[in-house]
Amino acid sequence: MSIERLREAVKKILPEVDVVIGYRQGFDPLHATPYFISQPEQVDQLIWNPLCVQNLCSYLPFLKGKVGVIVKGCDSRTIVQYMQEKLIEREKIKVIGVPCLQVISVKKVMAKIDYQVAEEVAFEGENVIVKTPKETKTIPLAEVMPRKCLTCQLATPLQYDILAGEAIQANKPAEAFEEIKEFEQLSLEERRRYWEREFDRCIRCYACRNACPMCICQDRCVAESRDPHWTSQRANLTEKFMFHMIHSVHLAGRCVGCGECERVCPMDIPVAKIKKKISMDLKELFDYQAGINPDDLPPMYTFKVEEAKIKEHEL
Amino acid sequence: MAECGFLAKEKINTLIEALAKKFQVFVPVLEGEVVLFRGFESGKSLCLSRPANLPPKGIIFPASDVLFRFNFQKDPEDPKKVSVELKENRDFPLTIIFGCRPCDAQGFTIYDRVYLTPETVDPYYRERREKTTIITLACNAPFPGCFCTSVGRGPATTEGSDLLMTELEKGYLFVPITEKGKEIIKAAEFEDGSPYQEEAKKVQENAAALVRKPFEHLEKLPQKLLSLFENTQFWEKEAAKCISCGACTYLCPTCYCFNITDEQVGNTGERIRSWDSCMFFHFTLEASGHNPRPNKYHRLRNRVNHKFSYYPQKYNGVIACCGCGRCIRYCPMSVDISEIVAHAQGA
Amino acid sequence: MRVGVFICHCGNNIAGTVEVAKVAEEARKMPGVAFATTYMYTCSEPGQEEIKAAIAREKLDRVVVAACSPRMHELTFRRTVEKAGLNRYFFEMANIREHCSWIGEDKELNTNKAIEAVKIAVEKVKQNKPLFPSRFKINKRVLVIGGGVAGMQAALDCADGGLEVVLVEKSPSLGGMMARLDKTFPTVDCSICILGPKMVDVSQHEKITLYAYSEIEEIKGYVGNYQIKIRKKATYVDWSKCTGCGACVEKCPSRNAYDYFNFGVAPCRAINIPFPQAIPKKAKIDPKFCRQFTKGKCGVCAKICPVGAINYEMQDEIVSEEVGAIIVASGYGLIDLDKLPEYGGGRYPDVISGIQYERILNASGPTAGHIVRPSDHTEPKTIVFVSCAGSRDKSIGIPYCSNFCCMYIAKQAILTKDHIPDSQCYVFYMDIRSPGKGYDEFTRRAQEEYGVKYIRGRVSRIYPKGKKLVVKGADTLLGTQVEVEADLVVLATAVIAAPDARILAEKLHISYDPYGFYVESHPKLRPVETNTSGVFLAGACQGPKDIPASVGQGSAAAAKVLSMFSKDTLESDPQIARVNQNICVGCRKCIRTCPFGAIEEQELRDGRIVAKVIETVCAGCGICNSTCPCGAIQLQHFTDNQLLAEVNALCLT
Amino acid sequence: MSYLAGKELRIIGFLCNWCSYGGADTAGVARFKQPTDLRIIRVPCSGRVNPLFVVKALLNGADGVLVSGCHPRDCHYSEGNFYARRRLEMLKRLLPFLGIDERRFHYTWVSASEGARWQKVVTDFTKIIHELGPLHPKKESTE
């Protein structure tokens, strides 16, 4: 898809909305950053490439007035989930859909370039070319794909008012939760130690929470409140573990798998894994996937008198 | 002439092994893709190739510190009579922070002005600070987002360090900065470092030249920022993409804000001092439910102003930002404080 | 905080296996506990006095009693602390009897368990907040669902008590099942003769509004203030004009309509009046059979009707009523004959159900009271009654006893003998259940005076042989096989829940058992109450019942309503959900999950949408509380912090 | 922990007031002997039991957690246990993923009349927890 078409689309809807949320280059060529456009002249700075990773929909519930937003296929599940939960007024939102086959994981690129400063970044065919003071490195996009892209089924967004580009078909295998099933091969003890090791790094900066499009409590999160007093300020494992359980349980049946929680973690904790496990179970239990059908009901907020898949547990 | 020492690369571990006999030594290690400071255990391999994701500030200013424990005792005769006993938690071991970066070390000097001002000395901080020796590794290249030279510092600034090491082709040059640093040089086995000082100087200059300079001339900045205080439009624009998490402040070597809570179960409990962040809504939430900084732009404004306006005004011009770039590098939305400062200058 | 802890010996019930003195001693060490003691019987008058005295003497502001189950005495002690000037919710109970002293053998373990039970209660009570009930006005009208004998009794008692009653009956006439019976046991007096006057009283009572041929469409609101929507089904006859003269029925050309009132013993006309004593005595058209509807032309009744009451265009009508309480007397149903193939039910015309036989016996029934076989209208000489036809039979999911079959079989046998002196009745039975007053004597009379042959055993199968039906069964007393060649077989078909009992239950928010019978609040002590306050039960909707029991419950339910309405306002339980609107982020999840529709949106001045609890509707389940992600909505007296305090007390100390 | 170390383990039960708490009372009235480990927290409805209470208990020192409510369809509030069933099932499947044996958490339905059933539930569950042993061999310090 050409950047021109996107800029056109933005220019086209700008008069109808207060602001359009897109991307521009961040502090270096390897980092894109959300861009709030309210003036036509800003549009020239707008960019679109696999570095545009952030899920811009996360801003929507907190913005008043009419808003335009650039939405990738994966991000569009956020819109759908907001609709399910009536967290946005869809008619107040102008969704500019962008076809997308993959973004890239900046963390993975950083690892490939030894965490040097990226001076230039270019995309050629299936590669991303990164120039650092030391070297110029050509990296196949496939090698720096974030996990969510590996099983992406939504090359074209589920929801859009304008599609900047041609609708395209996803070219990835469907989610089979291999990663989860693999992990479940480990012994209980190993799993326990794994999480203790990972959560031990948590500094409770709440980046995962605040970047999560479904964490709509934000400032009111129970993780910081004293009433209710679910967690203390202790920096011990129990409290860190508890916080991540709160996040995961609150996301049960709501997580749209955008992976923001994991992407933004400065300590590189695989926090999306737990949510994915829950999503896997709820899919099996209730044949439910968050953010696919606007008319669905999140499974934790409804029930059936006879639950086909829940058997009584015997002791 | 300071008798500086030189050590071949492969000897680094031996050095630390030796130090570890007398001190508890914190070293940067690799966990997954994350570099962070952990207590040294022999066999553990160091990661000196890049700055730690999380600066070592927690070693002197813990993320959560039990200041004291309290214990209520009840008179078995008359349960209405209750006495309380306090146990302070203040005996800390001699400590070495090994391999942090100049910016990390400077962070502590920012704290010192606050926690060691004679009229309000923080005993917990002082105790740890005095017992800690900081061995810093100069950067021989900048890292994504960092801008130390713009805030009047550099990849080899010595301020805050006790001993500055520079990576050279064959090994590391150790230049003592303080008495504590000299002690280390004396204590351990070093070759004479003087022949390597030239090479070190070059390495350091090269590095400094490569560091990006998003802004300069900070003299007028404190005043300028104050004049922008009421400019809601400016701050709302800058804060639009901020998601108000605490990554920037918790990863910041100069952020020193804390919260104090008592946690009691049964008759015993603890008073805990834990990191807090001005980016959080709860930071300024008052008991009444009123919050003077209800919006994220209020909070971002405070973070910028604290570092570039309030602090320098209080402490003769010293900027409370060491330019390590972590808040930029790790910001979920790539909010760039250096860009905001530049915008402020231009506004 | 100054918590007082009172540990009850309960005679030896607790002290026998728990060292109460040790519990008190440990309690004194607990944070916030200012006083702890033991007492022989804390719930006794002096025991309560002791608590009051201690509250005053020790300046206690919270009280914990460690004794029996709170389900037993929580209210008692709440009143006690209230009398002593504390808020009644500054009280907690530790159950160290049912959950401790009575179930554990090891005294040391029991004592320790009791100590921890006290610890939990102490930590909880310290978190408790004073709560105050609010009062709300009640609408002193009552809705009675079902115009059978139970419903009518309830309606009349309420109306005589001065209440306005709305009576909704889903069939075209009052009377229910009893109106179909010929005689009643054990007095063998004419059913309709004793029921008729009641029906008349109901229809003429100025305080009773009767909606016949109507059903409950929707129920909104809460105890004291319900809004009811009633569907008046189309009869296609303007009842305000219809005089019940019956001319239309005479002339109706469609003669093969199903006769619901007579359980299809014989067909009836498409337009009909269910029975001579029907109230209201009005005609109605069954569009399934009426030619005007099926063929689109006929109109005979419209031509014949002297008052022009026929209206083929009539539509269902929805009317609204407001009431303060509801009595459910929706009655029961009967298992279909074809559910009993081994008895040839549904296949052989001369195998009929007990209720059908009642209609055959009845002088105003389709056979004008002459006992004839449905197949060839000849008089049967040998009649076999099969009891427990479906009842007490797990294989078809009816393990329970239908309660009154044994009795009506005896009655029907006696009546048969009266009608046909040279007839012989046989009864196949499992047990004869006749515990009522004069009941057993009655069944004996059937055997001893009327020569009814009772055979103890199940019938294995029934098959036709020429004009007769062979009934094969075992005589378990003689241990022999028996075969009876019968002219007519009467099956005492099992009593089941009314067809749409479940649908109604869901509208009422009351629970029902696996068979669809409504569940009372307590099987012994609250037999006519339900768990939904303001909704009461009467008659067989709660389980198979005979007439006197149903009438008794009708009156009981009425008495409950009358006593509830003896006050002008009701006190609402303050243990309900409350929203901290500062915290609420308006995600609406609580609204979606509340079973009672007790939470609504509210827009604040700053435009924020937040949740708001309708105090009188909230039942205090706390689903919203566990649903709310930010803990803004908290169930009072069971808040997160209160429960966390209990968890922490157990985990962290 | 002030439970009798060696003899008991820490087992916490969340019981709905209307059915299971009554069932436990019924068991008591009938003197149905049970192991003493269980500590009961009374809640109005199983629907009140936020799965996070279970997590909180297990993370902070409980060796087993039991949740018991009214049988489906018998909920005093008509729907509470339906929500509980979904949420607790989700949790039961999640726990082993975190390395906590799912047998340490059991949820079931016991009515006020099922004293014998309650006795069995408590006895069997306690037995299982004792087979599994303590979840926190050395209790973590609070720093």
Side-chain angles (χ1 to χ4, degrees):
Chain A
M1 172 212 67
S2 73
I3 182 67
E4 283 65 31
R5 277 194 67 172
L6 184 58
R7 292 191 172 132
E8 268 167 44
V10 173
K11 284 209 185 81
K12 188 152 154 297
I13 64 156
L14 202 47
E16 309 166 36
V17 298
D18 311 336
V19 65
V20 176
I21 316 174
Y23 304 90
R24 66 169 168 83
Q25 189 192 306
F27 67 90
D28 75 7
L30 196 57
H31 290 79
T33 184
Y35 190 31
F36 288 66
I37 303 171
S38 49
Q39 307 302 328
E41 56 272 22
Q42 291 177 270
V43 176
D44 309 335
Q45 280 200 58
L46 185 71
I47 63 163
W48 171 252
N49 61 37
L51 294 166
C52 300
V53 288
Q54 293 94 343
N55 178 355
L56 301 178
C57 303
S58 312
Y59 293 107
L60 294 176
F62 308 101
L63 291 171
K64 305 232 173 335
K66 295 194 115 222
V67 182
V69 60
I70 291 173
V71 169
K72 304 186 286 289
C74 46
D75 304 342
S76 69
R77 289 181 66 186
T78 303
I79 303 262
V80 174
Q81 193 61 21
Y82 284 155
M83 290 162 75
Q84 269 186 34
E85 300 185 20
K86 307 204 167 29
L87 294 171
I88 55 167
E89 295 167 69
R90 180 65 179 84
E91 57 283 358
K92 281 194 177 175
I93 312 252
K94 279 270 176 224
V95 177
I96 305 174
V98 284
C100 161
L101 283 171
Q102 81 161 89
V103 292
I104 68 177
S105 156
V106 175
K107 279 179 184 171
K108 288 185 179 175
V109 175
M110 291 303 287
K112 296 234 179 231
I113 60 170
D114 306 332
Y115 300 87
Q116 296 301 304
V117 176
E119 291 170 330
E120 284 165 37
V121 176
F123 293 92
E124 276 174 27
E126 290 307 292
N127 300 311
V128 53
I129 296 150
V130 186
K131 183 171 175 301
T132 72
K134 275 212 257 150
E135 60 191 336
T136 297
K137 204 151 181 158
T138 301
I139 309 162
L141 286 171
E143 290 178 17
V144 289
M145 204 184 282
R147 205 183 276 103
K148 67 173 174 181
C149 298
L150 297 171
T151 55
C152 170
Q153 298 300 298
L154 295 173
T156 306
L158 288 162
Q159 291 273 329
Y160 57 79
D161 300 304
I162 309 175
L163 185 64
E166 305 312 319
I168 50 174
Q169 276 304 319
N171 54 3
K172 310 286 194 329
E175 177 62 76
F177 300 102
E178 269 113 7
E179 164 208 12
I180 303 300
K181 292 171 182 150
E182 213 171 284
F183 184 75
E184 287 178 326
Q185 297 309 309
L186 299 175
S187 75
L188 276 175
E189 195 44 45
E190 289 168 315
R191 286 177 241 167
R192 181 97 183 275
R193 264 191 267 105
Y194 173 88
W195 288 115
E196 287 177 351
R197 203 166 53 241
E198 294 296 330
F199 288 146
D200 177 56
R201 290 202 302 276
C202 178
I203 54 173
R204 282 171 80 180
C205 66
Y206 300 127
C208 51
R209 177 193 74 193
N210 290 36
C212 173
M214 286 304 138
C215 277
I216 33 93
C217 301
Q218 292 290 333
D219 294 344
R220 298 308 190 170
C221 178
V222 290
E224 289 167 274
S225 83
R226 300 257 324 163
D227 185 4
H229 191 21
W230 282 98
T231 62
S232 79
Q233 290 305 310
R234 292 192 178 98
N236 66 16
L237 198 51
T238 314
E239 301 299 316
K240 294 170 179 180
F241 214 125
M242 190 63 205
F243 162 66
H244 288 285
M245 286 307 101
I246 292 171
H247 191 182
S248 307
V249 167
H250 285 174
L251 264 284
R254 306 175 58 235
C255 173
V256 292
C258 68
E260 284 291 82
C261 49
E262 200 160 297
R263 177 185 71 79
V264 302
C265 178
M267 306 308 283
D268 211 17
I269 302 169
V271 277
K273 207 173 193 163
I274 298 172
K275 291 149 191 129
K276 197 164 180 181
K277 154 68 176 171
I278 297 175
S279 303
M280 178 180 91
D281 289 343
L282 297 186
K283 187 161 187 277
E284 195 261 323
L285 279 173
F286 309 116
D287 186 29
Y288 172 90
Q289 262 181 295
I292 299 300
N293 172 1
D295 306 323
D296 282 350
L297 276 179
M300 293 295 113
Y301 309 116
T302 179
F303 64 85
K304 287 206 180 70
V305 173
E306 301 294 340
E307 297 283 8
K309 296 272 183 62
I310 302 181
K311 302 273 158 287
E312 282 225 8
H313 297 279
E314 296 307 320
L315 278 163
Chain B
M1 174 283 234
E3 70 281 321
C4 51
F6 179 84
L7 206 59
K9 288 195 173 159
E10 61 278 10
K11 292 228 178 87
I12 285 292
N13 270 59
T14 345
L15 169 65
I16 297 169
E17 296 275 5
L19 294 173
K21 291 190 175 67
K22 189 152 167 268
F23 302 83
Q24 69 164 354
V25 184
F26 288 92
V27 296
V29 296
L30 196 59
E31 281 186 18
E33 284 296 323
V34 180
V35 182
L36 66 170
F37 283 85
R38 295 286 196 194
F40 175 80
E41 297 155 21
S42 56
K44 218 175 218 176
S45 60
L46 281 53
C47 176
L48 296 171
S49 60
R50 56 179 158 121
N53 295 50
L54 181 65
K57 70 173 179 180
I59 296 164
I60 293 178
F61 179 62
S64 171
D65 194 10
V66 174
L67 303 183
F68 57 79
R69 297 191 168 72
F70 50 89
N71 181 11
F72 294 102
Q73 279 130 346
K74 302 187 72 184
D75 176 348
E77 297 317 304
D78 177 5
K80 286 182 233 56
K81 291 211 186 73
V82 182
S83 62
V84 62
E85 144 200 74
L86 299 183
K87 267 198 237 76
E88 267 209 298
N89 177 33
R90 257 174 63 184
D91 40 18
F92 310 117
L94 286 171
T95 302
I96 285 179
I97 299 173
F98 183 93
C100 69
R101 302 295 175 138
C103 44
D104 302 341
Q106 282 155 33
F108 295 115
T109 66
I110 307 285
Y111 292 8
D112 293 343
R113 295 184 185 80
V114 180
Y115 290 137
L116 301 181
T117 41
E119 57 277 14
T120 59
V121 172
D122 180 306
Y124 304 92
Y125 177 82
R126 185 185 56 199
E127 198 88 9
R128 286 200 178 87
R129 183 77 165 99
E130 284 171 353
K131 285 184 169 167
T132 306
T133 306
I134 301 172
I135 303 176
T136 308
L137 172 64
C139 301
N140 42 21
F143 292 90
C146 66
F147 56 98
C148 51
T149 52
S150 307
V151 287
R153 297 164 167 120
T157 309
T158 56
E159 182 197 8
S161 308
D162 297 301
L163 190 56
L164 180 73
M165 54 196 274
T166 310
E167 183 181 3
L168 305 174
E169 214 175 324
K170 297 196 181 50
Y172 293 94
L173 174 68
F174 289 76
V175 179
I177 312 299
T178 64
E179 282 311 312
K180 279 187 195 168
K182 290 204 180 81
E183 290 307 312
I184 303 290
I185 293 287
K186 282 206 204 80
E189 300 268 313
F190 287 97
E191 303 169 30
D192 175 15
S194 6
Y196 299 91
Q197 280 175 320
E198 269 316 300
E199 183 187 357
K201 195 156 167 293
K202 270 201 203 62
V203 170
Q204 293 171 1
E205 280 165 4
N206 292 344
L210 286 169
V211 179
R212 71 189 186 110
K213 264 195 172 296
F215 53 80
E216 286 170 292
H217 312 304
L218 298 173
E219 312 71 36
K220 298 199 185 58
L221 185 58
Q223 278 314 320
K224 179 68 181 183
L225 282 167
L226 280 195
S227 71
L228 282 171
F229 188 87
E230 299 293 343
N231 190 338
T232 308
Q233 230 192 348
F234 175 84
W235 290 110
E236 274 180 335
K237 193 159 166 298
E238 296 299 330
K241 63 187 173 187
C242 170
I243 57 172
S244 204
C245 73
C248 45
T249 45
Y250 282 6
L251 297 178
C252 175
T254 72
C255 274
Y256 52 75
C257 289
F258 63 79
N259 183 15
I260 285 193
T261 51
D262 285 4
E263 297 295 343
Q264 184 184 351
V265 206
N267 280 313
T268 62
E270 301 162 344
R271 175 154 300 172
I272 295 165
R273 168 162 70 184
S274 49
W275 291 353
D276 204 347
S277 164
C278 60
M279 302 303 281
F280 292 153
F281 177 85
H282 283 74
F283 187 75
T284 47
L285 180 61
E286 296 169 5
S288 65
H290 170 68
N291 192 337
R293 292 182 206 151
N295 301 322
K296 59 183 182 182
Y297 85 82
H298 294 120
R299 310 199 278 265
L300 182 74
R301 180 182 65 190
N302 179 76
R303 181 170 141 248
V304 176
N305 283 5
H306 185 203
K307 294 190 181 309
F308 292 90
S309 180
Y310 312 151
Y311 191 98
Q313 283 179 317
K314 193 166 188 328
Y315 301 108
N316 47 49
V318 179
I319 301 286
C321 166
C322 56
C324 73
R326 285 189 180 87
C327 61
I328 303 169
R329 206 180 307 150
Y330 299 108
C331 174
M333 298 300 167
S334 295
V335 174
D336 180 351
I337 194 169
S338 68
E339 180 188 63
I340 298 172
V341 167
H343 287 171
Q345 285 180 316
Chain C
M1 224 165 277
R2 297 163 68 93
V3 183
V5 181
F6 301 82
I7 294 110
C8 183
H9 294 242
C10 196
N12 248 351
N13 284 306
I14 292 169
T17 54
V18 171
E19 271 180 70
V20 285
K22 176 100 183 331
V23 178
E25 180 194 328
E26 287 302 316
R28 285 187 200 98
K29 298 180 189 157
M30 296 176 190
V33 173
F35 175 77
T37 186
T38 71
Y39 200 83
M40 184 51 79
Y41 289 104
T42 316
C43 62
S44 66
E45 212 35 55
Q48 299 185 47
E49 286 312 315
E50 165 78 20
I51 295 177
K52 289 190 223 156
I55 291 173
R57 187 179 67 245
E58 312 285 333
K59 301 187 185 56
L60 304 175
D61 54 15
R62 301 278 197 288
V63 170
V64 168
V65 170
C68 52
S69 168
R71 284 161 61 94
M72 181 81 81
H73 271 315
E74 190 169 50
L75 264 180
T76 319
F77 292 118
R78 278 183 177 169
R79 290 202 204 92
T80 313
V81 301
E82 199 163 44
K83 289 210 195 80
L86 297 186
N87 183 282
R88 55 161 57 190
Y89 294 96
F90 281 155
F91 168 77
E92 285 296 328
M93 218 165 157
N95 183 342
I96 61 168
R97 194 179 73 177
E98 284 83 345
H99 293 185
C100 183
S101 69
W102 277 351
I103 58 169
E105 282 142 331
D106 180 323
K107 195 161 187 173
E108 184 195 13
L109 292 172
N110 282 356
T111 307
N112 178 64
K113 186 176 185 179
I115 292 165
E116 292 203 334
V118 169
K119 191 205 287 174
I120 300 173
V122 167
E123 288 306 316
K124 163 100 195 292
V125 84
K126 287 192 290 184
Q127 294 286 333
N128 287 7
K129 303 258 175 305
L131 301 175
F132 305 92
S134 56
R135 308 196 131 274
F136 58 95
K137 290 198 73 56
I138 42 180
N139 176 350
K140 296 188 181 181
R141 301 177 84 236
V142 57
L143 167 72
V144 178
I145 302 172
V149 66
M152 288 194 292
Q153 186 63 45
L156 285 170
D157 288 358
C158 289
D160 293 343
L163 303 180
E164 276 188 47
V165 180
V166 178
L167 177 56
V168 176
E169 166 56 42
K170 95 168 191 252
S171 73
S173 168
L174 290 171
M177 283 294 186
M178 185 175 172
R180 295 171 159 107
L181 306 182
D182 182 38
K183 305 282 191 296
T184 59
F185 57 80
T187 48
V188 198
D189 47 358
C190 162
S191 185
I192 195 70
C193 314
I194 54 175
L195 187 67
K198 270 199 189 300
M199 295 164 61
V200 176
D201 292 353
V202 168
S203 64
Q204 290 178 353
H205 206 298
E206 74 281 357
K207 285 200 168 297
I208 300 179
T209 316
L210 171 64
Y211 293 98
Y213 202 53
S214 302
E215 289 184 28
I216 301 299
E217 182 73 8
E218 175 190 282
I219 298 175
K220 277 209 162 84
Y222 49 92
V223 57
N225 301 277
Y226 288 104
Q227 297 86 38
I228 316 292
K229 283 203 167 55
I230 299 162
R231 173 178 295 272
K232 290 174 73 179
K233 294 176 283 182
T235 56
Y236 309 103
V237 178
D238 181 343
W239 282 9
S240 64
K241 297 188 185 142
C242 178
T243 60
C245 68
C248 53
V249 185
E250 286 300 310
K251 294 280 177 297
C252 176
S254 164
R255 295 154 179 276
N256 279 318
Y258 182 81
D259 188 339
Y260 292 93
F261 184 76
N262 289 315
F263 280 82
V265 171
C268 68
R269 312 294 174 94
I271 184 166
N272 69 349
I273 299 169
F275 58 103
Q277 305 85 339
I279 285 179
K281 192 164 193 261
K282 309 282 184 186
K284 86 164 237 299
I285 294 176
D286 185 339
K288 273 208 286 313
F289 299 93
C290 171
R291 294 181 180 180
Q292 188 63 37
F293 288 89
T294 54
K295 303 211 165 39
K297 58 177 181 346
C298 178
V300 174
C301 49
K303 286 187 211 77
I304 208 79
C305 179
V307 293
I310 308 298
N311 167 11
Y312 299 117
E313 306 306 311
M314 190 182 274
Q315 297 293 330
D316 289 7
E317 182 192 348
I318 303 287
V319 292
S320 300
E321 287 283 358
E322 300 202 330
V323 300
I326 302 173
I327 295 172
V328 191
S330 46
Y332 66 97
L334 288 162
I335 186 176
D336 289 336
L337 279 170
D338 47 30
K339 294 269 183 342
L340 306 162
E342 70 274 28
Y343 299 146
R347 263 178 303 151
Y348 313 134
D350 297 334
V351 177
I352 61 172
S353 68
I355 192 72
Q356 288 177 318
Y357 196 52
E358 286 289 339
R359 296 313 300 156
I360 291 174
L361 288 166
N362 190 294
S364 61
T367 62
H370 304 300
I371 305 179
V372 293
R373 312 200 322 161
S375 59
D376 55 11
H377 297 86
T378 58
E379 195 176 64
K381 295 295 178 194
T382 313
I383 299 98
V384 171
F385 295 88
V386 180
S387 73
C388 299
S391 313
R392 304 172 67 189
D393 181 350
K394 284 203 180 62
S395 69
I396 57 170
I398 305 180
Y400 54 85
C401 165
S402 291
N403 180 294
F404 46 70
C405 319
C406 290
M407 293 309 296
Y408 77 65
I409 286 173
K411 175 198 70 184
Q412 290 180 340
I414 287 170
L415 293 172
T416 311
K417 197 70 177 172
D418 287 338
H419 281 70
I420 314 169
D422 61 343
S423 66
Q424 177 59 57
C425 295
Y426 296 84
V427 176
F428 283 87
Y429 70 100
M430 288 164 76
D431 313 284
I432 301 175
R433 303 200 160 172
S434 51
K437 188 176 179 183
Y439 285 13
D440 205 57
E441 301 88 311
F442 186 73
T443 54
R444 292 194 172 287
R445 253 174 71 210
Q447 300 170 57
E448 289 152 11
E449 292 173 34
Y450 289 82
V452 179
K453 288 207 166 58
Y454 272 71
I455 303 164
R456 190 175 198 282
R458 262 188 179 283
V459 170
S460 54
R461 65 185 275 253
I462 295 170
Y463 59 92
K465 186 175 176 198
K467 282 174 150 306
K468 288 183 169 289
L469 292 158
V470 181
V471 181
K472 274 174 78 74
D475 184 327
T476 53
L477 296 182
L478 300 178
T480 58
Q481 285 294 320
V482 280
E483 272 191 25
V484 182
E485 296 203 348
D487 302 305
L488 183 68
V489 177
V490 180
L491 304 180
T493 47
V495 172
I496 56 175
D500 33 25
R502 290 174 174 82
I503 300 164
L504 182 60
E506 269 137 39
K507 287 176 181 165
L508 287 158
H509 287 305
I510 61 176
S511 41
Y512 45 86
D513 67 19
Y515 317 106
F517 293 110
Y518 298 154
V519 177
E520 64 278 16
S521 200
H522 187 287
K524 304 267 176 297
L525 304 178
R526 293 164 62 84
V528 295
E529 293 91 331
T530 66
N531 284 338
T532 305
S533 66
V535 179
F536 303 91
L537 302 175
C541 63
Q542 178 262 353
K545 246 178 228 68
D546 62 8
I547 293 163
S550 303
V551 174
Q553 275 200 333
S555 293
K560 286 286 169 193
V561 173
L562 283 162
S563 67
M564 187 176 103
F565 285 2
S566 64
K567 313 178 206 71
D568 296 327
T569 60
L570 285 180
E571 218 176 54
S572 71
D573 187 339
Q575 298 175 87
I576 54 168
R578 204 171 289 159
V579 180
N580 178 342
Q581 297 192 326
N582 286 334
I583 295 177
C584 177
V585 295
C587 70
R588 300 177 180 79
K589 289 175 178 55
C590 52
I591 299 176
R592 176 172 287 164
T593 50
C594 176
F596 305 95
I599 311 174
E600 56 190 13
E601 279 180 35
Q602 185 185 23
E603 181 166 3
L604 300 181
R605 264 192 269 100
D606 61 6
R608 276 171 59 224
I609 302 290
V610 294
K612 180 172 169 297
V613 174
I614 310 164
E615 289 194 3
T616 42
V617 187
C618 176
C621 60
I623 294 171
C624 53
N625 199 157
S626 53
T627 301
C628 177
C630 54
I633 192 164
Q634 292 286 334
L635 175 60
Q636 299 308 297
H637 211 60
F638 292 94
T639 63
D640 287 349
N641 275 6
Q642 283 168 320
L643 298 183
L644 285 168
E646 296 180 84
V647 173
N648 291 342
L650 288 171
C651 292
L652 300 176
T653 59
Chain D
M1 315 289 288
S2 62
Y3 65 83
L4 295 184
K7 292 191 181 154
E8 283 182 342
L9 288 173
R10 173 57 77 220
I11 302 176
I12 299 178
F14 294 89
L15 275 62
C16 88
N17 176 52
W18 303 98
C19 293
S20 296
Y21 197 94
D25 284 356
T26 310
V29 172
R31 310 296 199 277
F32 291 150
K33 298 293 175 237
Q34 300 156 43
T36 52
D37 308 47
L38 180 70
R39 305 288 179 260
I40 291 172
I41 294 175
R42 179 164 155 245
V43 292
C45 174
S46 54
R48 171 67 184 91
V49 181
N50 185 333
L52 289 169
F53 284 120
V54 181
V55 177
K56 180 84 177 169
L58 288 172
L59 287 182
N60 282 275
D63 303 303
V65 177
L66 175 66
V67 176
S68 187
C70 308
H71 286 277
R73 278 223 185 72
D74 286 356
C75 176
H76 179 83
Y77 306 98
S78 71
E79 294 178 0
N81 51 4
F82 291 137
Y83 286 104
R85 184 169 57 188
R86 283 193 163 205
R87 296 168 182 184
L88 298 175
E89 180 67 18
M90 178 272 293
L91 180 70
K92 194 164 172 67
R93 290 169 182 239
L94 177 59
L95 289 177
F97 195 76
L98 308 165
I100 300 172
D101 194 311
E102 52 92 22
R103 289 171 298 173
R104 292 188 182 275
F105 166 55
H106 183 62
Y107 71 95
T108 187
W109 322 118
V110 175
S111 80
S113 58
E114 294 176 312
R117 175 170 158 72
W118 176 252
Q119 177 190 32
K120 190 174 184 326
V121 168
V122 175
T123 312
D124 295 353
F125 186 64
T126 310
K127 187 163 168 294
I128 287 170
I129 298 305
H130 277 268
E131 280 162 13
L132 292 169
L135 173 59
H136 309 266
K138 49 167 176 47
K139 300 273 177 252
E140 186 192 343
S141 79
T142 49
E143 284 92 84

